[in-house]
Amino acid sequence: MTGKLYLCATPIGNLGDVSARCLEALAAADLVAAEDTRRTLQLLNHFEITKPLTSYHEHNKREKGAYIISLLENGKNVALVSDAGTPAISDPGEDLVKMCIERGIEVTSVPGPAALISALILSGLSTSRFAFEGFLSVNKRHRAKHLESVKNDTRTLIFYEAPHKLISTIEDMRKVFGGERRAAIVRELTKIHEEVKRCTLDEAAEFYSENKPRGEYVIVIEGADEKEAASENEWEDIPLKQHIDKYIAGGMTSKEAIKRAAADRGLPKREVYNEYHKGAKASEE
Ligand code: SAM
């Protein structure tokens, strides 16, 4: 019989948040696979659990994943623990879960803390519909593309960020979402210095220009205004020519209107120019 993979959520700061089921699962497992073995060893020592530990992280997930699968296939039970919080959320646990599913190995969850949920419920922003966006890429172009892709999303948006990148991320968000967009910058959840800064992106930028970011952060952003998002996306339902003519009627030159329509549609300017003039010519004939 194959074993089972237990996805064990662990505290994101306060050890008092560990669940009784999590301790049971750790104590009963044949092996604990941990993203950071030193951190998990502290947790196990604190609760006087002695277990073989192995590392499973971004840089060894292939070989270690195969090793863990072989143990599971040989009937061993494995508890997977991430650096902190819920495994498989912004960590390589996701890959191990997929590997288990592909091989028909049973996976179960031992739920508990997840920074994104605590940050969301403390944000004061709408919790009825939200989207978890994880970490933004370090690549400038990919970051911009990611932010643009959610600019008109009316759901509350949740991002993870490292302290040394917080200021530049807030700056990039200001550029794309606008400085008036409301946010909650949530820091050090469940720890002594837990803090929630509820403000606009402009206010956040000003605050962090004077206060160095320290600790772990979650950025929660208010969703786009329904009406604004609808009017911004209006062009999706109209032909290109009408889209450009609308901007011209609003006072833009045809060059400006073509540039703006190309940006809206994510198309090269040249292509939009050619298409527009082809259409304009056809309607003259
Ligand atoms: N699996 C984790 C979870 O369930 O939240 C997330 C792992 S991800 C690699 C680590 C990121 O989570 C940090 O960079 C930070 O953005 C966020 N995070 C984790 N613990 C946090 C805390 N105590 N306070 C604020 N953010 C935290």
Side-chain angles (χ1 to χ4, degrees):
M1 218 174 88
T2 57
K4 212 191 264 190
L5 178 70
Y6 291 77
L7 303 173
C8 296
T10 55
I12 53 172
N14 189 325
L15 286 184
D17 293 335
V18 77
S19 75
R21 264 193 82 214
C22 176
L23 294 178
E24 265 169 39
L26 291 170
D30 294 299
L31 175 76
V32 175
E35 200 181 358
D36 179 343
T37 47
R38 275 186 310 179
R39 200 162 166 171
T40 302
L41 189 59
Q42 282 173 3
L43 180 84
L44 295 181
N45 286 344
H46 183 87
F47 291 103
E48 296 176 358
I49 297 171
T50 310
K51 270 296 127 174
L53 263 176
T54 193
S55 68
Y56 174 77
H57 50 67
E58 192 54 43
H59 306 292
N60 71 359
K61 64 183 181 186
R62 272 212 188 173
E63 323 80 82
K64 213 34 109 51
Y67 168 68
I68 294 169
I69 293 287
S70 72
L71 293 180
L72 288 160
E73 283 176 334
N74 281 305
K76 305 285 185 210
N77 290 321
V78 178
L80 179 69
V81 175
S82 79
D83 198 359
T86 300
I89 299 291
S90 286
D91 70 42
E94 178 183 352
D95 297 278
L96 190 57
V97 171
K98 283 186 192 146
M99 284 168 93
C100 286
I101 294 168
E102 275 164 20
R103 287 165 177 78
I105 296 167
E106 209 182 327
V107 184
T108 190
S109 77
V110 182
L116 75 111
I117 296 296
S118 289
L120 173 68
I121 61 174
L122 290 176
S123 69
L125 299 170
S126 171
T127 58
S128 57
R129 293 184 67 219
F130 61 89
F132 175 57
E133 297 296 322
F135 288 97
L136 287 171
S137 163
V138 284
N139 176 299
K140 252 196 144 353
R141 206 160 48 85
H142 293 166
R143 282 165 84 78
K145 222 170 159 192
H146 186 162
L147 291 174
E148 281 292 344
S149 73
V150 290
K151 179 182 167 188
N152 293 320
D153 197 322
T154 53
R155 294 172 297 178
T156 301
L157 305 172
I158 307 167
F159 295 87
Y160 281 167
E161 195 47 287
H164 64 282
K165 287 196 266 164
L166 187 83
I167 292 177
S168 64
T169 294
I170 290 175
E171 201 43 57
D172 290 348
M173 288 177 167
R174 249 174 110 193
K175 280 187 205 141
V176 178
F177 302 146
E180 290 299 304
R181 186 80 76 99
R182 287 200 302 152
I185 318 292
V186 185
R187 178 174 101 87
E188 295 286 89
L189 281 157
T190 77
K191 303 184 199 174
I192 298 168
H193 298 292
E194 177 175 290
E195 188 179 74
V196 185
K197 195 159 175 46
R198 301 177 185 92
C199 54
T200 64
L201 285 172
D202 276 346
E203 287 162 352
E206 196 186 331
F207 178 81
Y208 288 107
S209 67
E210 285 159 16
N211 300 277
K212 190 172 186 250
R214 280 178 220 280
E216 298 195 275
Y217 285 87
V218 182
I219 306 174
V220 189
I221 304 282
E222 180 180 40
D225 181 86
E226 297 256 1
K227 278 196 205 125
E228 271 174 33
S231 73
E232 281 229 23
N233 285 341
E234 241 174 31
W235 53 264
E236 279 176 358
D237 303 321
I238 59 174
L240 178 67
K241 183 174 178 316
Q242 205 176 323
H243 184 182
I244 295 171
D245 286 341
K246 229 177 122 198
Y247 283 139
I248 294 173
M252 285 188 192
T253 63
S254 66
K255 196 175 164 196
E256 285 165 346
I258 286 169
K259 190 173 167 197
R260 178 78 180 272
D264 288 346
R265 291 175 183 247
L267 295 171
K269 260 186 302 183
R270 172 62 43 196
E271 193 179 312
V272 172
Y273 177 91
N274 289 341
E275 197 60 34
Y276 179 68
H277 287 286
K278 200 168 75 190
K281 233 179 180 176
S283 61
E284 274 167 23
E285 284 162 8

